[in-house]
Amino acid sequence: SQKIEQNSEALNIQEGKTATLTCNYTNYSPAYLQWYRQDPGRGPVFLLLIRENEKEKRKERLKVTFDTTLKQSLFHITASQPADSATYLCALGPGGGNKLTFGTGTQLKVEL
Amino acid sequence: ETGVTQTPRHLVMGMTNKKSLKCEQHLGHNAMYWYKQSAKKPLELMFVYSLEERFENNSVPSRFSPECPNSSHLFLHLHTLQPEDSALYLCASSRLSGTGGGDTQYFGPGTRLTVL
């Protein structure tokens, strides 16, 4: 069955550093991968989409890579700020559809 | 959070009750979704309603019954639930772009359900 793994432990980093979150998957060939941010008590918010034929995507301080050979995506937040503290979810989707399969998420805490 | 609204935000019910969760999207989207989020578990897609498809996750028990009267409203009818159904129920919507999937999903704040 499909399996998506994200850093199970919370990630604590210092303000200004780059946070790197991983998303590994098995038994799946997704057509695209999305990253979402979720704050406590709120629904997820979409951040970035990367398709299987793309290696890297950037948006402001965010960068995502997608390696279909390694079956892995890396999500980077550069110059991190305390406001970036949240849980980050990766989600994989099939070609032509929107039925997402989510990982359990990684909790990021950016400390002063 | 005015894009996708959910009511109620919190619900406590007994196992013999019948209740309904309501979701409304104000974004002009044409697809709506129900997800279940339990502690320490990934979001689980329960149902999808769109112009192109109606999807029901086979692992969802029949005590959960969706209803989508139009493209802006989605309901989740609950009856004879079990304590393990306690979770955060999230609604989402998207605009089908026809570009091969990956359309951004906009989530509501969720309904925190507790089954006693």
Side-chain angles (χ1 to χ4, degrees), chain A residues 33-35 48-50 54-59 62-66 73-76:
Chain A
L33 189 149
Q34 296 180 335
W35 283 89
L48 281 168
L49 161 73
I50 188 165
E54 299 173 316
K55 294 293 186 185
E56 181 180 299
K57 274 281 191 68
R58 291 175 185 262
K59 179 183 177 182
L62 309 180
K63 184 178 84 171
V64 62
T65 62
F66 193 10
S73 175
L74 299 179
F75 178 78
H76 306 273

Side-chain angles (χ1 to χ4, degrees), chain A residues 12-59:
Chain A
N12 293 349
I13 66 167
Q14 202 170 23
E15 183 180 20
K17 302 291 186 183
T18 296
T20 298
L21 286 65
T22 62
C23 176
N24 296 295
Y25 60 93
T26 56
N27 298 324
Y28 198 173
S29 295
Y32 60 87
L33 189 149
Q34 296 180 335
W35 283 89
Y36 286 80
R37 168 184 173 144
Q38 186 173 24
D39 292 283
R42 307 186 75 151
V45 174
F46 171 80
L47 296 174
L48 281 168
L49 161 73
I50 188 165
R51 297 193 183 275
E52 60 180 334
N53 60 347
E54 299 173 316
K55 294 293 186 185
E56 181 180 299
K57 274 281 191 68
R58 291 175 185 262
K59 179 183 177 182

Side-chain angles (χ1 to χ4, degrees), chain A residues 1-6 8 23-30 33 70-72 90-92 101-104, chain B residues 42:
Chain A
S1 61
Q2 302 167 3
K3 188 174 182 181
I4 302 173
E5 292 185 346
Q6 297 188 246
S8 57
C23 176
N24 296 295
Y25 60 93
T26 56
N27 298 324
Y28 198 173
S29 295
L33 189 149
L70 291 178
K71 294 186 181 293
Q72 179 183 75
C90 73
L92 280 60
T101 302
F102 279 85
T104 51

Side-chain angles (χ1 to χ4, degrees), chain B residues 15-102:
Chain B
M15 291 189 283
T16 58
N17 291 156
K18 287 185 180 181
K19 296 287 184 181
S20 294
L21 309 185
K22 178 182 176 182
C23 175
E24 184 173 1
Q25 59 94 2
H26 312 268
L27 301 168
H29 289 166
N30 51 13
M32 297 188 77
Y33 312 78
W34 277 118
Y35 288 88
K36 175 183 179 182
Q37 188 173 35
S38 303
K40 305 298 183 184
K41 291 185 177 180
L43 268 78
E44 176 188 9
L45 179 63
M46 301 175 71
F47 305 103
V48 180
Y49 276 83
S50 74
L51 293 175
E52 299 176 349
E53 71 174 325
R54 172 180 167 170
F55 167 79
E56 298 188 359
N57 187 333
N58 291 333
S59 67
V60 175
S62 59
R63 53 186 181 266
F64 294 90
S65 175
E67 179 190 359
C68 191
N70 54 59
S71 61
S72 298
H73 295 86
L74 186 64
F75 294 89
L76 188 62
H77 303 299
L78 317 171
H79 63 97
T80 60
L81 294 191
Q82 303 298 310
E84 60 264 30
D85 297 322
S86 298
L88 181 68
Y89 289 85
L90 291 159
C91 173
S93 71
S94 69
R95 180 182 63 84
L96 298 178
S97 62
T99 57

